[in-house]
Each structure stands twice: as C-alpha cells, then as structure tokens.
C-alpha cells in the first residue's frame, strides 16, 4: 500500500480525503471502535440537541465551518451573559475572558525572552491593585486553554488571543459534530480502508519504506501520516504509546515544549431547566464559581433542553484526581450549587443523569488538547515537519497561530499533511 494514516479523528480523515482525491492508495487505522477521535457526540432521547463530550465550540467561518455547511447542518451562535456571584450580587464578566483589559496590554509590553504567565505577573503586575485582574486571567487560561500558568508561554498566549478563530468560537451544531465527521467518512467510502480497533504500537522506517506494527499485525507502506494526540508520541511506553524507530531527536525535543492540558467535562440532565425560573439567570450563557472543583457551567446549544455542561480545565481538572462516577457527580452538584447560589438539595432533586468522559485517563488521548510551554513558540513547526518524504505529521498539536487545541487546526493540519505527501511524491517522480 502507498500511505497509512494513523488516527481517524478530524486530522486523519481530512488527510485521507486529500490523498484519495489525488488517486492515492490509503489505509486509515484507528485504535478506537469508532471514528472521530476527540469528537464524541452522544444523544439522550429527552434532549433535542446532541451532547458533545469532546469539543463543542467553533467559529462561524473557516474550514470547519465550511465542512458543517457541507454536512447539511447549520451552526447556531450562542449569546448570553457570563455570570459570577460576587458579594451577594450577579456580575457579567464577559464570555471571552480578560483579553481586552489593561493587564493584557501590560503583558504585550513585556520585552526580552519568553516567560511563563506566572513569571510575567510577578515581573509586571504583582501589586495588590492587579489582584483581581490576575485572578481573572488565571481562571481564564486554566479553563479556556486548559493550561498551567507556571508553564504557559506568554508569547504563545498573546498569539492565540490575537486569532479570532480562537476567541470568536461561539457557534455550535445542535444536530451534533458527528454529522460533520460522517461527511468526511462518506468521502472515503469505497475509496479507502478504515480499520477500527487497530492500535499502532511501533513504526520502523527508512526513506520510502515504513513498517507499522499494530495490534492486528504489521502494515507496510511507502509513507505514513501520524495524527495521534501528542502524549501517544511523547509517552511511547504508555498503554497505547507509539514508538518511532529510528527516533527523531528534534521532534523529541519539541515534545517537551508543548503540554497536553487536562479537562473534565460533564453533561448533567435535569427534569426541567429550573434556572430559567431564577430572574437574574435568565440571560446567562455561562456561570462560574472559580473556587469550586467544577468551576464553569454553560447552557446547551438548544437552551430549552434541561441540560447544563460542567467544565474544569488545567490544574482544576488535575486536582480532580481519580474522581469518577458518583464521586465526580457529587463534586459537580456541590460546584453547581455554589455557581447558581442555590441549595444543593434543591438541585439534586431535579438531577436525572450525568454523562462524562475522562479524556485525561483515556489511553488513546491522555489529555484534552495542547498549549505551548515557555520557549515553545516554534515547536509546532518542528512537529509538523516531514521526515525524508516518508513520515508526515498532523493533528492539533502541529498547528501554529493559536490554532492548536481547535477542531479548525486539526482539520487544516490533516489537509496540509495530505498535500505534503502528494506534493513530495510528485517532486520525487519528476512530475
């Protein structure tokens, strides 16, 4: 066979689509028993809209948005207040964090080498007058970027915040993101083999030759596109780790400059959308209690659905440890009680089900999505660089311009890698 694509998430499917369009022979292998990767849509008969246990938000423009339209679905923009309870009053802090504030301008004015967000705060904004702004920023980067402020690159953060593809991601697909994944799969139907429950264990290569040892046997190819989440490459001895032989020292060095942020996401269904009966909450989209285990909650894409989505990112998610099942639901109900300023018992009476997925302990991801550590602003370029026109790499971790951690980035990276395979092969053959 000509090319093997490892991973059937957005990046892998997009790469395979580019290859089959060019008439290439392609096989996609996927460790899970489903396609989609970190896109995982669930449904509940009591809910009119889909429930996304993976990514949910996207911008109303770009390649991902175009793919939504091709699927025959439509995005809906979500509007509303981002509420917090302070001193017994509700306050709208804005849905996109503190990026437009004075502290942001202070960060932009810093000169010299890259540093962590925590170090930057200590350098420019350590006075008590900045305390509220610092707390707002820390809460924001932990939740939105799933990042540790002591590791997060300020240079990358400023780049990400300048990209409206990231900061304007306020649209969703009520019918479900799996409909978009299905469009990619349909483009491959009859043109490409997709082998599920096939875990890539080891990749041995030399120029123009690849042998991929999998849980279902060994595959031979002339090239491979690797689209697995970063920890699968970073931790080759993990349960689903992928070892590359000979090793790639430059990429190994880049691994240390990109971190996989942890996230815990829950979908709580209730007997009714009781929050609509609370006058101050009628305009809310998000509500937050920063000191709680599950600090952030938001409404579903169809606001009449009796559903609230809970979210903990970065250190907050890491602090949840091994909490699962009833223990996790218990923490969530306590957190929601604080966020809504309601007695927990009143909320618990209305709770019906809780859906969640622990991406941090999922052996095929070992985390949610990536952020850039200090000094790593160019690391994605090293990760994305083809090797000897034989090894190619895609996935959100290989994206720059703040597009890592986004579906848009994953989709674009897959197309880019597919084009590299086709273009490189054409050059070698003299076409």
């Amino acid at each position: 066979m000509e090319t093997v694509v490892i991973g059937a998430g957005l990046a892998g499917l997009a790469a395979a689509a580019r290859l089959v369009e060019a008439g290439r022979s392609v096989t996609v292998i996927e460790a899970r028993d489903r396609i989609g990767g970190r896109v995982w849509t669930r449904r509940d008969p009591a809910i009119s809209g889909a429930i996304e246990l993976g990514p949910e938000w996207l911008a109303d423009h770009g390649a991902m948005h175009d793919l939504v339209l091709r699927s025959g679905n439509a995005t809906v923009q979500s509007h509303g207040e981002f509420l917090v309870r302070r001193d017994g009053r509700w306050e709208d802090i804005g849905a996109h964090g503190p990026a437009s504030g004075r502290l942001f301008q202070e960060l932009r004015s810093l000169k010299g080498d890259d540093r962590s967000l925590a170090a930057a705060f200590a350098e420019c904004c350590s006075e008590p007058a900045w305390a509220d702004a610092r707390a707002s920023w820390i809460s924001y980067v932990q939740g939105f970027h799933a990042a540790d402020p002591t590791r997060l690159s300020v240079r990358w953060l400023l780049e990400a915040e300048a990209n409206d593809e990231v900061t304007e991601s306020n649209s969703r697909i009520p019918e479900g993101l799996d409909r978009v994944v299905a469009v990619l799969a349909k483009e491959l139907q009859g043109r490409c083999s997709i082998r599920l429950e096939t875990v890539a264990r080891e990749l041995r290569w030399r120029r123009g030759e690849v042998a991929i040892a999998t849980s279902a046997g060994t595959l031979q190819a002339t090239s491979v596109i690797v689209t697995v989440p970063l920890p699968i490459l970073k931790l080759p001895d993990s349960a689903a780790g992928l070892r590359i032989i000979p090793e790639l020292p430059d990429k190994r060095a880049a691994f240390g400059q990109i971190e996989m942020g942890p996230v815990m996401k829950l979908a709580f269904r209730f007997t009714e959308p009781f929050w609509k009966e609370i006058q101050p909450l009628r305009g809310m989209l998000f509500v937050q209690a920063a000191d709680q285990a599950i600090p952030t909650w938001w409404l579903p894409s169809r606001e009449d659905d009796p559903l609230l989505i809970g979210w903990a990112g970065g250190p907050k998610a890491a602090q949840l440890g091994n909490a699962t099942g009833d223990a996790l639901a218990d923490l969530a109900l306590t957190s929601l009680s604080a966020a809504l300023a309601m007695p927990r018992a009143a909320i618990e009476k209305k709770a019906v089900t809780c859906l969640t997925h622990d991406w941090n302990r999922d052996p095929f991801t070992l985390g949610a999505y990536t952020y850039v550590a200090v000094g790593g602003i160019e690391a994605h370029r090293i990760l994305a660089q083809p090797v000897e026109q034989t090894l190619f790499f895609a996935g959100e971790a290989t994206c720059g311009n703040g597009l890592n951690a986004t579906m848009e980035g994953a989709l674009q990276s897959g197309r880019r890698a597919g084009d590299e395979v086709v273009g490189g092969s054409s050059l070698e053959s003299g076409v």
Side-chain angles (χ1 to χ4, degrees), residues 13-230:
L13 295 174
R18 276 293 208 262
L19 293 171
V20 298
E21 285 169 10
R24 305 290 168 146
S25 170
V26 186
T27 294
V28 179
I29 62 175
E30 167 57 48
R32 303 180 191 279
D33 61 0
R34 60 175 179 83
I35 62 173
R38 279 168 274 181
V39 174
W40 193 16
T41 304
R42 302 286 297 277
R43 288 181 171 79
D44 184 319
I47 301 293
S48 61
I51 299 171
E52 305 292 354
L53 292 183
E56 181 173 347
W57 301 87
L58 65 153
D60 61 359
H61 56 276
M64 188 66 189
H65 182 261
D66 292 345
L67 191 60
V68 173
L69 298 182
R70 279 170 49 199
S71 74
N73 294 286
T75 61
V76 296
Q77 285 199 333
S78 297
H79 301 284
E81 298 172 326
F82 195 136
L83 297 176
V84 296
R85 185 85 169 166
R86 289 178 177 166
D87 301 322
R89 296 181 295 106
W90 293 103
E91 180 180 339
D92 180 10
I93 62 172
H96 292 301
S100 61
R102 287 180 54 228
L103 194 148
F104 183 71
Q105 300 307 317
E106 291 291 322
L107 293 177
R108 288 177 62 88
S109 70
L110 289 173
K111 306 297 182 184
D113 294 337
D114 193 14
R115 70 271 273 169
S116 72
L117 180 64
F121 283 167
E123 180 179 344
C124 75
C125 317
S126 60
E127 295 85 356
W130 292 105
D132 287 346
R134 288 196 307 270
S136 181
W137 263 98
I138 289 171
S139 177
Y140 172 64
V141 300
Q142 288 181 343
F144 188 78
H145 293 293
D148 180 344
T150 67
R151 293 281 294 151
L152 176 67
S153 160
V154 163
R155 186 171 295 173
W156 173 80
L157 178 63
L158 295 174
E159 178 183 89
E161 292 300 311
N163 191 323
D164 63 4
E165 197 77 54
V166 179
T167 57
E168 294 183 9
S169 294
N170 63 347
S171 294
R172 291 179 284 182
I173 310 171
E175 290 77 14
L177 283 163
D178 58 344
R179 304 287 176 87
V180 179
V181 173
V183 169
L184 289 170
K186 187 175 181 180
E187 293 177 352
L188 300 176
Q189 191 171 4
R191 307 168 72 189
C192 160
S193 172
I194 299 178
R195 304 183 186 182
L196 301 179
E197 298 183 275
T198 304
V199 182
R201 304 288 191 192
E202 185 178 274
L203 191 162
R204 289 184 177 268
W205 70 280
R206 62 183 180 181
R207 186 177 179 87
E209 297 180 22
V210 183
I212 305 157
T214 80
S215 57
T218 299
L219 301 175
Q220 305 286 340
T222 58
S223 60
V224 62
I225 300 178
V226 179
T227 75
V228 298
L230 182 64

